[in-house]
Amino acid sequence: MEQVNQGVRENVYPQAAQALYRTLSQAAISAVTPIAAVLVALAFGATLLWLNGFDGTDVVTVMIFGSFQDTRSVAEILLKATPLILIGAGLCVAFRCSIWNIGAEGQLYVGAIAATFVGTSIDGLSVWVHAPLVMLAGALAGAAWAGIAGYLKVRFQASEIVTTIMLNYIAIILTSYLVTGPMKDASAAYPQSARLVREAWTPRIVSDMRLHIGILVAVVLAVALYIFLQRSSRGFALRVVGLNPHAARYAGMDVRRNVMIAICISGALAGLAGAFEVAGVTHRLYQNISPGYGFEGIAVALLANNNPLAAIISGGLFATLRSGSEVLQITSQVPQVLVLVIQGMVILSVVAFAKFRDKFRFVA
Amino acid sequence: MSAKPFLRIDNIRKRFGPIVASDGVSLEIEEGEIHALLGENGAGKSVLMSMICGMVRPDEGEIIYRGQSVRFNSPREAIRQRIGMVHQHFMLVPNLTVAENYILGQGSALKVINDMDKVDAKIRELSDRYALDVRPDAIIEDLSVGEQQRVEILKVLFHGIDLLILDEPTAVLTPQETDRLLALMGDLVKDGKTVVFISHKLDEVMRVSNRISVMRDGRVVHTVNVGETDARGLARMMVGRDVGMELPRSPSAPGPLVLSVDNLTCRGETGLPAVRGVSLDVRAGEIVGIAGVSGNGQTELSLALSGLLPVDTGRVVLNGKDITGLGPARINASGFSHIPEDRHKHGIVMSLSLGENTILQRYDQPPFAARGMLNRRAIGEHTRDLIKRFRIKSRDENQRIGDLSGGNQQKLVVARELARNPDFILVNQLARGIDIGAMEFVMEEMLKQRDSGKAILLISTELEELFAICDRILVMCHGEILGELPPERTRLDELGLLMAGKRADVVQPPLAS
Ligand SMILES: Nc1ncnc2c1ncn2[C@@H]1O[C@H](COP(=O)(O)OP(=O)(O)OP(=O)(O)O)[C@@H](O)[C@H]1O
Ligand SMILES: [Mg+2]
């Protein structure tokens, strides 16, 4: 009976329909697994909260939906999503090239430093010039900072995992030094830089909300990087280098050059994220300009399965969880540690599901 | 046939999406026999064996093993039932030792680590018993392909098996290593084990097996006792027509010099001299063969010619242009094609599509790219054309190349390299893993290339391959060219002597200037 059915099905659907069915089912699998992963993690989180004497489902609901109260809170989520999407999408490029850039945090900091420098030391430019100049400075600084690790890798085979982590420390300490020393605002008691001139600020989308055009830039860049990776010749070479460097060399691709390009792209986006934090949010450089966006960006890329387009969604998700946990801390007794544990569970669960997906592909 | 066979495969079906890999296949294996499995590329041999050893799960049908219906969910479960398989693509971790590889993935690995001495001792004992020459502390990536093969076989023996499945074990071996492996199979059977092995080489199948099954389109179409047929008959069962063992070919008409290698030396990965003063010329319209036992510098020679290994001294001139040390990109662009020895390392990117693998060298050139962007339509058209011309069994150009059968992967590499319209083609092991029908086709294609004025250098350990299409044969030993012979079977003895490193007086000096 079943066989008869199968035969009929094959005859009814022509090849084109089968191809469409295949594409759709593949898309469904790749979209469903991260969502399922997040749901499973949140279910575990709820259980964990319940074991600790909290109303688990209630807390998780607050975590996801609590921050969607009004436009303003949605705008705050998008504000947090901006650096996460930028860094996540940039890291997708590096990871696809098999470069384990753990240094987005440091690249963000040097981007912020460069942006602050350009935003405080120049005056009298129009906003049309000055604001983009600040972004450019951030991106270039981030790319250069990542480029150091890239150079050490291609020249001396130094592991980028080690060098980028070291460069993180240097960047963060350098920032502390600058805001307590050379770049310190003389009139302020706290370690902070002078305020950026108004023309250097990233324009806001609506004047009475902090959300700035950085979110649009982030989304556009993520889409552009997706096209770059999937459709451009250079993106193809990056992927081949990442998948099989021997074959890349055989084919005449310059492995070192591609490694440099990939790591610099990821650094540029992290640097740009740093520029937006300064020019769009704080307008000054502080010691702790980033609450760990550079590290969370790694999870964003991971959840997106190194697909920059999906990094828009996963960046948004992590921003939501982050906002939700802030709401939680204000409105409930749940300790922040538990919230962090839940975030960690999301990441773990995503990794586990990715494994499952690969297995599924092999068997099916 | 006995009433209760050792292993019975009953009407198994397996589909991968729209592709039917097993179409109701049935097969019986008897205890203590050597059973050979033949079939064209993509006939479903590897998939069938993977289902027996728990790598792949069947959709329908039954496997009855020692009278019981079994269903393995993993290779480990199969090993526990004493069924082990050595795959077409080795599955060893390159930077671990032999012993470490053996205990990997064992549930009790942690316990075993404290007992490494016992593991080592067991490896040594098995290695001695079957003369496998495997050292437990050797690191996999330092081993030659032939050695890795023995490591893989010893691995299954180590875990204790009664049924050994070998998927194209001889495809990567030299004739000497092959002899050794075939002898080993005999020894195993004497010890009461059963062997199933897949091969495209009819002569070795005839030599060792008791029974032979032929697969076609996902089914076993014939099972015969070895005495009942000959190589010609087997070939006909496989491809459904007579396959000419002798290719018709016209005498070569060598034209101008295309590739000239002068006193080339280079070192291997270990830093030891591997190519020691090789000089050779290849003219337009001729196929020059290099025969030799593998590991005598052929690998390094081909890597050095294609720019993948630094040249110490000497010169390589292609079309009058010095390409020594130029790097693969510029060498490729000078009209140089290369069918590499190790297709998984150099030739293809397993997780990319056929289309993407087809443009590996030309990803930034028209018509495949314009203004920095890939032209998917042009890539698709070109790939579909190659798939059709070379009869590459695949779903479409968007299929992952890693999902193709081994022989079909090789066909794509050959197709790609010929399609680049080179002046010079370097071939290191032409027919690795491709079936006899496809081999005939590929060889004909090579002859056509020769007749259209291309220069071809064919490095091979397969004398048949060399005799079939070469116009002259150089013999390489210890990194040197020892002499040159015309491709006449009558001079096989001489060839053997040269390959063993003995210069005979009768041998002409190499043609180099
Ligand atoms: N994981 C997979 N996904 C999709 N198709 C597959 C997969 N594995 C095998 N196939 C398809 O199943 C068919 C049979 O493949 P199989 O590897 O068994 O061939 P084979 O007889 O071993 O050929 P060869 O002699 O070339 O090794 C092929 O068409 C192949 O493309
Ligand atoms: Mg196979």
Side-chain angles (χ1 to χ4, degrees):
Chain A
M1 181 65 207
E2 215 179 275
Q3 272 176 20
V4 173
N5 272 339
Q6 236 171 22
V8 170
R9 207 176 71 195
E10 258 162 50
N11 288 337
V12 170
Y13 295 113
Q15 269 216 313
Q18 275 191 15
L20 182 69
Y21 169 76
R22 216 166 42 231
T23 321
L24 287 182
S25 59
Q26 265 167 14
I29 291 167
S30 51
V32 162
T33 40
I35 294 174
V38 170
L39 289 180
V40 167
L42 290 179
F44 269 112
T47 317
L48 187 72
L49 288 162
W50 178 74
L51 287 175
N52 280 279
F54 298 98
D55 181 348
T57 38
D58 200 42
V59 172
V60 168
T61 316
V62 172
M63 232 175 127
I64 305 176
F65 301 107
S67 40
F68 284 106
Q69 277 154 359
D70 48 26
T71 356
R72 188 167 293 278
S73 47
V74 173
E76 283 299 308
I77 294 178
L78 292 177
L79 191 69
K80 290 190 171 63
T82 304
L84 291 175
I85 293 173
L86 281 170
I87 293 171
L91 287 179
C92 288
V93 176
F95 292 168
R96 281 285 196 93
C97 195
S98 288
I99 300 161
W100 311 113
N101 176 7
I102 315 295
E105 185 79 352
Q107 291 140 25
L108 183 154
Y109 270 88
V110 292
I113 295 173
T116 309
F117 181 75
V118 173
T120 51
S121 59
I122 310 175
D123 202 358
L125 294 175
S126 109
V127 64
W128 292 102
V129 179
H130 208 168
L133 203 62
V134 165
M135 299 179 207
L136 190 67
L140 286 178
W145 201 248
I148 297 174
Y151 179 77
L152 292 174
K153 182 182 171 71
V154 300
R155 182 75 179 74
F156 303 107
Q157 284 85 46
S159 159
E160 73 279 13
I161 300 180
V162 176
T163 53
T164 50
I165 291 177
M166 292 302 157
L167 286 165
N168 278 345
Y169 289 119
I170 299 176
I172 294 169
I173 294 167
L174 180 67
T175 308
S176 295
Y177 165 70
L178 289 174
V179 295
T180 50
M183 284 174 96
K184 184 169 187 294
D185 182 359
S187 61
Y190 300 107
Q192 62 181 34
S193 75
R195 187 192 279 256
L196 273 65
V197 299
R198 278 220 167 247
E199 291 74 26
W201 292 12
T202 310
R204 289 179 169 177
I205 292 176
V206 187
S207 59
D208 67 338
M209 280 192 264
R210 295 204 295 167
L211 184 64
H212 54 80
I213 61 163
I215 183 69
L216 304 177
V217 176
V219 169
V220 168
L221 282 178
V223 174
L225 285 185
Y226 172 79
I227 296 171
F228 168 76
L229 272 178
Q230 293 308 125
R231 300 290 174 92
S232 78
S233 297
R234 174 60 60 197
F236 176 72
L238 291 189
R239 285 188 286 136
V240 172
V241 167
L243 290 168
N244 183 347
H246 295 290
R249 241 163 58 78
Y250 158 84
M253 295 168 183
D254 187 338
V255 173
R256 297 170 170 207
R257 197 184 136 115
N258 283 300
V259 165
M260 282 306 283
I261 291 173
I263 199 168
C264 287
I265 288 178
S266 65
L269 268 84
L272 182 58
F276 280 138
E277 285 312 290
V278 169
V281 185
T282 62
H283 301 144
R284 290 176 192 273
L285 184 61
Y286 293 97
Q287 273 181 318
N288 300 317
I289 192 77
S290 158
Y293 288 139
F295 299 114
E296 210 162 305
I298 298 172
V300 170
L302 201 65
L303 179 60
N305 197 22
N306 297 337
N307 175 344
L309 216 50
I312 301 174
I313 313 279
S314 70
L317 180 80
F318 274 93
T320 309
L321 289 177
R322 197 175 257 276
S323 293
S325 60
E326 281 173 11
V327 175
L328 266 187
Q329 275 163 47
I330 301 166
T331 60
S332 79
Q333 312 295 318
V334 181
Q336 202 197 352
V337 194
L338 272 183
V339 176
L340 288 177
V341 168
I342 296 177
Q343 283 187 359
M345 279 180 172
V346 172
I347 297 171
L348 271 181
S349 152
V350 166
V351 177
F353 268 78
K355 202 98 194 126
F356 166 79
R357 177 182 49 206
D358 291 348
K359 198 159 177 167
F360 185 82
R361 197 203 57 72
F362 181 72
V363 174
Chain B
M1 220 141 290
S2 62
K4 222 172 86 180
F6 181 59
L7 177 78
R8 190 154 69 87
I9 293 155
D10 193 19
N11 210 17
I12 280 192
R13 286 172 200 280
K14 176 71 196 176
R15 300 171 48 138
F16 294 98
I19 294 171
V20 182
S22 301
D23 190 14
V25 55
S26 301
L27 177 67
E28 287 185 1
I29 309 290
E30 278 163 30
E31 187 151 20
E33 72 169 338
I34 298 184
H35 197 117
L37 198 55
L38 295 178
E40 290 186 277
N41 295 131
K45 306 179 293 292
S46 299
V47 169
L48 178 62
M49 292 301 127
S50 302
M51 288 190 289
I52 298 176
C53 83
M55 277 284 289
V56 175
R57 251 164 289 176
D59 296 338
E60 278 175 47
E62 233 185 339
I63 300 173
I64 296 150
Y65 177 56
R66 297 185 197 270
Q68 274 183 5
S69 178
V70 289
R71 200 153 237 255
F72 304 126
N73 291 312
S74 72
R76 235 164 84 194
E77 287 182 31
I79 286 266
R80 219 167 284 148
Q81 299 283 326
R82 307 183 65 83
I83 297 180
M85 175 162 174
V86 175
H87 291 270
Q88 203 167 356
H89 320 137
F90 297 159
M91 302 193 169
L92 297 167
V93 182
N95 51 358
L96 295 184
T97 67
V98 171
E100 283 164 350
N101 263 283
Y102 287 5
I103 60 168
L104 206 69
Q106 293 307 106
S108 53
L110 272 181
K111 234 167 43 200
V112 183
I113 281 178
N114 296 321
D115 254 348
M116 268 330 243
D117 289 346
K118 265 191 212 152
V119 172
D120 285 4
K122 190 168 167 192
I123 294 174
R124 287 216 180 79
E125 185 218 307
L126 280 167
S127 171
D128 287 347
R129 178 144 122 229
Y130 294 108
L132 287 170
D133 207 2
V134 169
R135 280 184 305 115
D137 54 350
I139 301 207
I140 302 298
E141 56 192 354
D142 298 340
L143 301 178
S144 75
V145 210
E147 287 169 321
Q148 288 189 29
Q149 171 82 268
R150 296 201 295 275
V151 171
E152 281 273 18
I153 294 174
L154 206 149
K155 181 173 163 190
V156 257
L157 297 178
F158 178 85
H159 291 134
I161 44 106
D162 293 330
L163 174 61
L164 174 65
I165 301 171
L166 301 169
D167 193 353
E168 293 191 33
T170 57
V172 290
L173 299 187
T174 63
Q176 291 77 5
E177 285 171 326
T178 299
D179 288 344
R180 211 165 145 185
L181 178 71
L182 299 184
L184 169 69
M185 284 160 61
D187 289 346
L188 289 172
V189 168
K190 259 182 239 142
D191 281 356
K193 307 200 187 302
T194 307
V195 179
V196 178
F197 89 111
I198 300 176
S199 175
H200 290 295
K201 297 178 191 166
L202 302 181
D203 53 331
E204 63 187 41
V205 166
M206 301 292 295
R207 254 166 69 197
V208 291
S209 43
N210 305 106
R211 291 198 304 153
I212 302 165
S213 290
V214 179
M215 282 191 78
R216 232 157 106 184
D217 299 328
R219 283 185 207 170
V220 171
V221 289
H222 295 282
T223 298
V224 292
N225 291 323
V226 73
E228 291 168 14
T229 186
D230 57 4
R232 181 174 286 267
L234 284 176
R236 205 175 312 124
M237 285 180 213
M238 266 174 77
V239 289
R241 64 183 162 89
D242 268 320
V243 181
M245 298 284 164
E246 293 279 332
L247 288 177
R249 59 169 162 152
S250 50
S252 71
L257 193 61
V258 175
L259 182 93
S260 163
V261 179
D262 185 25
N263 205 16
L264 186 80
T265 54
C266 73
R267 276 163 297 156
E269 309 241 298
T270 51
L272 297 173
V275 177
R276 306 191 295 177
V278 164
S279 298
L280 57 91
D281 287 340
V282 188
R283 298 179 174 276
E286 70 169 348
I287 302 181
V288 177
I290 295 187
V293 178
S294 79
N296 274 285
Q298 298 98 319
T299 304
E300 289 81 3
L301 175 64
S302 51
L303 293 180
L305 289 180
S306 51
L308 290 164
L309 202 64
V311 171
D312 284 343
T313 61
R315 249 158 52 99
V316 184
V317 177
L318 179 63
N319 279 331
K321 188 176 133 199
D322 191 341
I323 58 162
T324 324
L326 276 193
R330 289 175 50 206
I331 292 179
N332 281 344
S334 316
F336 185 107
S337 259
H338 177 191
I339 297 171
E341 180 181 17
D342 189 341
R343 72 168 165 264
H344 290 125
K345 185 171 179 187
H346 292 119
I348 57 175
V349 184
M350 291 285 264
S351 56
L352 291 183
S353 71
L354 273 76
E356 288 171 310
N357 273 287
T358 307
I359 55 153
L360 213 51
Q361 294 100 338
R362 293 192 284 171
Y363 68 99
D364 55 356
Q365 290 160 25
F368 307 120
R371 276 177 264 108
M373 302 303 279
L374 297 175
N375 181 346
R376 293 186 159 198
R377 167 121 50 83
I379 297 168
E381 268 169 24
H382 179 64
T383 311
R384 279 194 298 276
D385 181 45
L386 294 186
I387 290 174
K388 215 165 104 199
R389 262 185 42 216
F390 283 79
R391 285 177 227 120
I392 298 168
K393 201 173 164 194
S394 60
R395 194 183 63 213
D396 54 39
E397 75 272 15
N398 299 317
Q399 193 179 4
R400 240 175 61 104
I401 198 166
D403 289 344
L404 254 52
S405 80
N408 283 299
Q409 294 171 2
Q410 180 74 3
K411 284 198 243 171
L412 186 98
V413 175
V414 175
R416 176 185 70 206
E417 292 310 306
L418 297 188
R420 286 171 50 216
N421 194 21
D423 299 315
F424 171 73
I425 309 168
L426 170 63
V427 187
N428 198 340
Q429 311 297 347
L430 177 61
R432 181 154 283 180
I434 65 185
D435 67 49
I436 49 171
M439 171 130 90
E440 185 190 52
F441 172 75
V442 168
M443 286 188 170
E444 272 167 8
E445 235 6 75
M446 283 300 179
L447 286 172
K448 266 191 227 159
Q449 297 282 334
R450 177 197 81 168
D451 293 339
S452 71
K454 315 256 187 251
I456 300 174
L457 182 64
L458 174 64
I459 301 177
S460 182
T461 50
E462 298 288 328
L463 298 184
E464 283 306 316
E465 202 171 292
L466 292 166
F467 281 135
I469 57 172
C470 291
D471 299 308
R472 42 198 189 92
I473 298 178
L474 308 175
V475 182
M476 193 163 176
C477 187
H478 296 312
E480 288 175 89
I481 301 285
L482 288 193
E484 181 185 325
L485 292 170
E488 285 158 14
R489 272 165 230 271
T490 46
R491 304 183 67 170
L492 203 60
D493 290 346
E494 242 173 87
L495 194 64
L497 279 177
L498 277 177
M499 282 170 63
K502 298 189 185 80
R503 280 175 205 266
D505 300 333
V506 283
V507 171
Q508 309 150 4
L511 247 184
S513 41

